[in-house]
Short mmCIF file of all heavy atoms in Angstrom, two decimals:
data_model
loop_
_atom_site.label_atom_id
_atom_site.label_comp_id
_atom_site.label_asym_id
_atom_site.label_seq_id
_atom_site.Cartn_x
_atom_site.Cartn_y
_atom_site.Cartn_z
N GLU A 73 -14.25 23.05 -8.32
CA GLU A 73 -14.12 22.19 -7.14
C GLU A 73 -14.02 20.72 -7.54
O GLU A 73 -13.43 19.92 -6.85
CB GLU A 73 -15.29 22.42 -6.18
CG GLU A 73 -14.96 21.97 -4.77
CD GLU A 73 -16.00 22.40 -3.75
OE1 GLU A 73 -16.23 23.62 -3.63
OE2 GLU A 73 -16.56 21.53 -3.08
N CYS A 102 -8.08 25.38 2.86
CA CYS A 102 -8.67 24.19 2.23
C CYS A 102 -7.89 23.82 0.97
O CYS A 102 -7.54 24.68 0.16
CB CYS A 102 -10.13 24.45 1.89
SG CYS A 102 -10.84 23.23 0.78
N TYR A 104 -8.82 22.43 -1.71
CA TYR A 104 -9.48 22.79 -2.97
C TYR A 104 -9.06 24.19 -3.39
O TYR A 104 -8.78 24.46 -4.55
CB TYR A 104 -11.01 22.75 -2.82
CG TYR A 104 -11.61 21.37 -2.87
CD1 TYR A 104 -12.93 21.15 -2.45
CD2 TYR A 104 -10.90 20.29 -3.37
CE1 TYR A 104 -13.51 19.89 -2.50
CE2 TYR A 104 -11.47 19.03 -3.42
CZ TYR A 104 -12.77 18.83 -2.98
OH TYR A 104 -13.35 17.59 -3.04
N CYS A 139 -19.52 27.47 2.11
CA CYS A 139 -18.43 27.62 3.06
C CYS A 139 -17.54 28.80 2.63
O CYS A 139 -17.58 29.23 1.48
CB CYS A 139 -17.60 26.35 3.14
SG CYS A 139 -16.68 26.05 1.63
N PRO A 141 -14.19 28.90 2.20
CA PRO A 141 -13.24 28.63 1.11
C PRO A 141 -13.90 28.63 -0.27
O PRO A 141 -13.35 29.19 -1.22
CB PRO A 141 -12.70 27.24 1.45
CG PRO A 141 -12.89 27.10 2.91
CD PRO A 141 -14.14 27.87 3.24
N ALA A 142 -15.09 28.04 -0.38
CA ALA A 142 -15.76 28.00 -1.69
C ALA A 142 -16.02 29.42 -2.18
O ALA A 142 -15.89 29.72 -3.37
CB ALA A 142 -17.05 27.21 -1.59
N ILE A 145 -12.60 31.04 -3.17
CA ILE A 145 -12.08 30.51 -4.44
C ILE A 145 -12.56 31.41 -5.58
O ILE A 145 -11.79 31.86 -6.41
CB ILE A 145 -12.55 29.05 -4.67
CG1 ILE A 145 -11.80 28.09 -3.76
CG2 ILE A 145 -12.37 28.65 -6.15
CD1 ILE A 145 -12.30 26.65 -3.80
N ILE A 285 -15.03 13.81 3.25
CA ILE A 285 -14.60 13.66 1.87
C ILE A 285 -13.51 12.58 1.79
O ILE A 285 -12.67 12.47 2.69
CB ILE A 285 -14.05 15.02 1.36
CG1 ILE A 285 -15.14 16.09 1.56
CG2 ILE A 285 -13.61 14.95 -0.09
CD1 ILE A 285 -14.70 17.50 1.20
N TYR A 334 -25.50 22.63 0.87
CA TYR A 334 -24.36 22.88 1.75
C TYR A 334 -24.72 22.54 3.20
O TYR A 334 -23.95 21.92 3.93
CB TYR A 334 -23.91 24.34 1.64
CG TYR A 334 -22.88 24.74 2.66
CD1 TYR A 334 -21.64 24.12 2.71
CD2 TYR A 334 -23.14 25.74 3.60
CE1 TYR A 334 -20.69 24.47 3.65
CE2 TYR A 334 -22.20 26.10 4.55
CZ TYR A 334 -20.98 25.47 4.58
OH TYR A 334 -20.04 25.81 5.52
N SER A 368 -8.52 19.82 5.66
CA SER A 368 -8.93 20.75 4.61
C SER A 368 -10.38 21.18 4.71
O SER A 368 -10.77 22.16 4.12
CB SER A 368 -8.74 20.11 3.24
OG SER A 368 -7.64 20.68 2.59
N CYS A 369 -11.18 20.42 5.39
CA CYS A 369 -12.60 20.80 5.39
C CYS A 369 -13.14 20.91 6.81
O CYS A 369 -13.65 19.95 7.38
CB CYS A 369 -13.43 19.82 4.58
SG CYS A 369 -15.12 20.41 4.45
N VAL A 370 -13.05 22.13 7.33
CA VAL A 370 -13.55 22.39 8.67
C VAL A 370 -15.08 22.22 8.76
O VAL A 370 -15.58 21.62 9.71
CB VAL A 370 -13.10 23.79 9.14
CG1 VAL A 370 -13.78 24.19 10.41
CG2 VAL A 370 -11.59 23.81 9.32
N PRO A 371 -15.83 22.72 7.77
CA PRO A 371 -17.30 22.62 7.91
C PRO A 371 -17.81 21.19 8.04
O PRO A 371 -18.82 20.95 8.69
CB PRO A 371 -17.84 23.24 6.62
CG PRO A 371 -16.74 24.07 6.08
CD PRO A 371 -15.46 23.46 6.55
N ILE A 372 -17.13 20.24 7.42
CA ILE A 372 -17.61 18.86 7.56
C ILE A 372 -17.01 18.21 8.80
O ILE A 372 -17.63 17.35 9.43
CB ILE A 372 -17.28 18.03 6.28
CG1 ILE A 372 -17.91 18.71 5.06
CG2 ILE A 372 -17.80 16.60 6.40
CD1 ILE A 372 -17.79 17.93 3.76
N HIS A 398 -8.32 15.91 2.33
CA HIS A 398 -8.83 15.28 1.12
C HIS A 398 -8.01 15.60 -0.13
O HIS A 398 -8.17 14.96 -1.16
CB HIS A 398 -10.31 15.62 0.90
CG HIS A 398 -10.59 17.07 0.68
ND1 HIS A 398 -11.07 17.90 1.66
CD2 HIS A 398 -10.49 17.84 -0.41
CE1 HIS A 398 -11.24 19.11 1.18
NE2 HIS A 398 -10.90 19.11 -0.07
S1 LIG C 513 -13.88 20.97 1.04
FE1 LIG C 513 -15.00 21.83 2.74
S2 LIG C 513 -13.94 23.76 3.19
FE2 LIG C 513 -13.22 23.09 1.19
S3 LIG C 513 -14.50 24.11 -0.28
FE3 LIG C 513 -15.52 22.16 0.17
S4 LIG C 513 -16.94 22.45 1.88
FE4 LIG C 513 -15.55 24.20 1.73
#
Side-chain angles (χ1 to χ4, degrees):
Chain A
E73 201 170 302
C102 166
Y104 281 165
C139 69
I145 286 173
I285 305 176
Y334 171 61
S368 253
C369 186
V370 170
I372 303 186
H398 63 259

